[in-house]
Amino acid sequence: MPSFDIENIKIEDSWSSKEIAFEDSELIAFFRKNLGVADIAGHPALQYLAYLTISYVPFDPQGFPSKEDYKLISDFEEIDVPNIETGSNSIHVASVLKNGIKDLLFYVTDPDAFIQVVNRNNSRIQSFDLGLEMVSDPNWEIYADLP
């Protein structure tokens, strides 16, 4: 199997953003998708997709977090996620914000190593309920389906 090394791969910092409203509801969902990883989509070393879920109490009818919660979550994504990527040899491919949930999606080389690195780098968000789900997605079908 070809190896993957996040520190030695050049990935363009290019992201799409989509806002989706729900019929008969004030709720809004925001999707951010890492377009820079398209060239490595389906890499044989990145067969697992991890969903790191941060649950917060919605602040408004759209389902968004309070300013304080948003700052903590944003700082985690900006400061800690790069450390998680490097420390676990994973790649952050998307983020979804909707109705009390912030999901961060990563393709990972080693699920156990990913969990360990997340646990060492989550102090900024420990005041929230955290969840982690790992699914097999060797062909990156979930990534391809993201808006």
Side-chain angles (χ1 to χ4, degrees):
M1 172 186 319
S3 66
F4 174 80
D5 184 355
I6 187 67
E7 294 192 72
N8 292 320
I9 193 162
K10 299 242 187 274
I11 295 174
E12 183 181 349
D13 189 20
S14 175
W15 292 75
S16 68
S17 296
K18 302 279 193 255
E19 179 180 318
I20 297 176
F22 297 91
E23 193 172 318
D24 299 325
S25 174
E26 292 186 54
L27 294 175
I28 296 173
F30 281 108
F31 290 81
R32 289 183 57 242
K33 184 175 180 178
N34 186 343
L35 302 177
V37 301
D39 290 342
I40 63 165
H43 191 288
L46 297 166
Q47 296 197 10
Y48 298 97
L49 180 63
Y51 292 82
L52 176 57
T53 301
I54 304 165
S55 298
Y56 60 87
V57 176
F59 178 72
D60 59 24
Q62 288 79 30
F64 299 141
S66 67
K67 287 182 181 182
E68 296 81 14
D69 287 351
Y70 183 78
K71 172 114 176 76
L72 288 171
I73 294 167
S74 295
D75 285 351
F76 173 76
E77 190 169 4
E78 184 177 316
I79 298 165
D80 299 308
V81 164
N83 295 331
I84 291 170
E85 286 179 308
T86 303
S88 68
N89 201 31
S90 63
I91 185 80
H92 178 212
V93 298
S95 296
V96 182
L97 181 74
K98 62 177 185 207
N99 197 23
I101 299 290
K102 173 74 172 204
D103 276 324
L104 302 165
L105 287 71
F106 299 80
Y107 279 97
V108 304
T109 56
D110 180 340
D112 292 331
F114 179 79
I115 292 167
Q116 290 173 8
V117 172
V118 167
N119 286 337
R120 286 194 305 264
N121 288 277
N122 68 5
S123 61
R124 198 176 314 275
I125 56 169
Q126 284 195 342
S127 62
F128 300 98
D129 287 332
L130 303 177
L132 185 63
E133 181 182 354
M134 196 77 59
V135 297
S136 176
D137 187 23
N139 298 319
W140 288 39
E141 292 170 14
I142 296 169
Y143 171 81
D145 286 345
L146 290 168

